[in-house]
Amino acid sequence: MKHYFWIVATAAVTSIPVTGHAQQIPDDVGVAARVPDEFKPIGGRIGSVFIYPALTYDLTGTDNVVASDADRRGDAYVTVAPRVTIARNSQQSNHVVQLFNANRFHFDSKDENFSEFGVLTRNRWGAVDSNNILFEASAQREVDQRTGRNNVTLSRSPVHHGRFDGELAYAFSAGRFSYRFGVHGRRVDFADARSRTGTVIDQDFRDYTQLGGNAQLGYRLREGINLVGQVDYDRFYYDVGPGDTGFPSGLAPDRNSYRVKGEVGLGFDISQRLYGVATIGYLTRNYRKQVPQLRDVSSLSYNINLLWNPTEYLTVRVNGLRDIQETASPLVAGDQFTRGTVAVDYMPTPALLFTASANAVRYNPVGVTTGNATEYGGNLLARYRLNRQWSVTSRLSYNGRDTNSPVDSFDGVWFSMGVVITL
């Protein structure tokens, strides 16, 4: 408990963690994304290129550092996360590159220390409301968080992996119609884990390559409301399968598969009040060379991503998704999941922001096991901007998971305070 005193005593300082999964929100949409002129970072300029460095310092305490009820223990840790954003904008093009790094240092559980880093870029050639080409790419080292579904519970330290993503798309409009066609790819390579006794926990069976494409169509029904439809196709190629070195023995499934998803719905952009999309459709994931239980996994799918500004100072965000994700368990082929999130942002003054959010995820493993799981959580965040360079933050989070396995079940509280420095 000695570290919790220092957390409270260092109230000068946290915590919006910086990772490679930055959520992109259009400017001037929600109150959390609006930066008043008097608080916008100054940055630096080289010709037509702008450079914005930033640093987040975070001090966090928790009563369940490894997110396990079977090994429940408290700890505190510091997160230091520098990043640099480089941007070049014009009416006919937009180019953004971000380099990030996040380092976590624990007071007691030294094996839990880790580092994440990477580079992301987003580029557009052509005006945003007419014909344009989009290219996005990222290369990053990520860590499976202890609170995540894919945490390897028995590992001595969090498992890390390299991830490479890329997408090339072409978008254009003609009258009331808008179109977008794209191709994308992903490569993921996992490092082996080690148990607390030093035994190697081979992770090669998780390495895969994903290739796919998508097509989107929009039709403007009236100003601010569009009919939208989308079709996605992906192939998943795993490095190892039954009979290969490194493939788990026993009933482990072959994860090579393809995925098809089609959805239709409505898109919104109404008077700076309501933005987003809500679609519903059908999803199938077909696993080849499998027992009948894995040959065809199909279900209803949906995607909801809405942002509503009922007043100038208040934003409500609603997100929902049903899909199938890759898994760390060697016993199943993946996890079918249903996720929902609700968040409210309130900005009573330009300098002060409060956010309250709640989320829940239901996992249904794809296979013959019955290891269903439900994750849930809530967050309270406060941020205060002192000036252009300095912001102080604090966050209180509660997270948990219910399963039929006591090893994977947990609940815990995380409290953070910190500072964000922007130049």
Side-chain angles (χ1 to χ4, degrees):
M1 291 296 294
K2 60 183 181 294
H3 302 309
Y4 294 97
F5 169 78
W6 291 108
I7 292 172
V8 175
T10 343
V13 273
T14 225
S15 145
I16 306 175
V18 177
T19 71
H21 302 290
Q23 183 182 16
Q24 295 188 6
I25 302 175
D27 290 341
D28 301 324
V29 172
V31 297
R34 300 175 196 158
V35 181
D37 291 340
E38 63 268 33
F39 295 116
K40 287 184 177 178
I42 300 172
R45 180 173 180 173
I46 303 176
S48 59
V49 176
F50 292 85
I51 301 174
Y52 301 97
L55 174 69
T56 298
Y57 170 81
D58 211 41
L59 185 57
T60 303
T62 177
D63 63 349
N64 198 347
V65 65
V66 295
S68 170
D69 285 345
D71 184 21
R72 193 182 191 102
R73 46 195 162 98
D75 197 5
Y77 53 86
V78 170
T79 303
V80 181
R83 71 179 184 272
V84 177
T85 302
I86 305 167
R88 183 179 183 274
N89 300 312
S90 70
Q91 289 186 342
Q92 292 301 317
S93 66
N94 174 278
H95 308 278
V96 177
V97 176
Q98 185 177 93
L99 295 90
F100 71 91
N101 179 222
N103 305 278
R104 182 175 292 181
F105 306 97
H106 286 255
F107 285 81
D108 291 332
S109 307
K110 304 299 185 183
D111 287 335
E112 295 300 308
N113 295 350
F114 66 76
S115 178
E116 293 182 311
F117 51 83
V119 57
L120 305 94
T121 180
R122 187 176 192 273
N123 305 272
R124 188 196 76 240
W125 294 269
V128 68
D129 55 354
S130 62
N131 296 10
N132 59 72
I133 296 174
L134 297 169
F135 174 69
E136 299 184 13
S138 65
Q140 48 198 310
R141 180 190 196 262
E142 295 182 315
V143 173
D144 290 342
Q145 300 293 321
R146 288 298 196 183
T147 54
R149 171 67 168 168
N150 284 324
N151 169 50
V152 180
T153 308
L154 298 178
S155 67
R156 181 171 59 195
S157 302
V159 178
H160 69 266
H161 60 271
R163 188 177 117 184
F164 307 89
D165 286 284
E167 181 181 23
L168 179 65
Y170 175 61
F172 64 98
S173 57
R176 289 177 173 265
F177 288 92
S178 60
Y179 308 85
R180 187 182 189 277
F181 303 97
V183 293
H184 53 261
R186 171 175 292 175
R187 173 64 188 171
V188 183
D189 263 300
F190 287 87
D192 286 342
R194 283 191 177 273
S195 70
R196 290 182 173 84
T197 61
T199 304
V200 174
I201 307 175
D202 197 332
Q203 299 291 291
D204 287 346
F205 72 96
R206 299 175 64 185
D207 298 345
Y208 71 93
T209 299
Q210 175 184 349
L211 299 173
N214 61 77
Q216 301 175 15
L217 170 66
Y219 177 76
R220 189 174 70 252
L221 297 173
R222 62 184 181 87
E223 192 65 32
I225 299 182
N226 298 320
L227 179 66
V228 297
Q230 177 172 327
V231 176
D232 296 288
Y233 176 82
D234 288 279
R235 292 293 292 262
F236 297 83
Y237 303 92
Y238 276 82
D239 290 5
V240 297
D244 294 333
T245 302
F247 191 77
S249 58
L251 299 177
D254 184 350
R255 302 184 182 197
N256 289 321
S257 56
Y258 68 84
R259 165 186 172 275
V260 180
K261 182 168 72 170
E263 294 180 343
V264 296
L266 296 175
F268 304 93
D269 186 352
I270 302 175
S271 303
Q272 297 184 343
R273 293 291 184 184
L274 180 64
Y275 300 83
V277 64
T279 59
I280 189 169
Y282 182 78
L283 164 71
T284 184
R285 181 88 176 255
N286 187 280
Y287 294 87
R288 298 170 289 164
K289 302 177 182 179
Q290 294 295 321
V291 295
Q293 292 92 331
L294 286 182
R295 296 194 68 84
D296 189 9
V297 179
S298 302
S299 72
L300 180 75
S301 69
Y302 63 85
N303 182 22
I304 300 171
N305 193 338
L306 298 176
L307 191 151
W308 176 42
N309 293 318
T311 74
E312 182 181 354
Y313 311 104
L314 185 67
T315 295
V316 179
R317 293 175 281 132
V318 178
N319 301 94
L321 181 66
R322 174 178 284 180
D323 210 324
I324 296 174
Q325 70 176 27
E326 311 316 292
T327 180
S329 170
L331 301 178
V332 296
D335 278 315
Q336 187 177 41
F337 68 90
T338 302
R339 175 187 298 130
T341 302
V342 177
V344 178
D345 303 313
Y346 176 56
M347 186 179 289
T349 73
L352 186 61
L353 172 72
F354 297 104
T355 297
S357 64
N359 64 85
V361 190
R362 176 66 174 175
Y363 294 99
N364 298 295
V366 178
V368 295
T369 181
T370 58
N372 297 341
T374 301
E375 291 181 350
Y376 45 86
N379 289 274
L380 296 174
L381 168 70
R383 182 191 70 201
Y384 183 72
R385 291 188 176 104
L386 300 173
N387 50 45
R388 292 178 186 270
Q389 287 81 31
W390 295 85
S391 299
V392 292
T393 61
S394 64
R395 182 194 296 268
L396 176 65
S397 301
Y398 173 78
N399 295 286
R401 181 188 304 124
D402 290 333
T403 73
N404 56 4
S405 167
V407 176
D408 293 327
S409 298
F410 79 92
D411 74 309
V413 176
W414 283 257
F415 178 64
S416 303
M417 297 187 298
V419 61
V420 180
I421 307 169
T422 57
L423 300 178

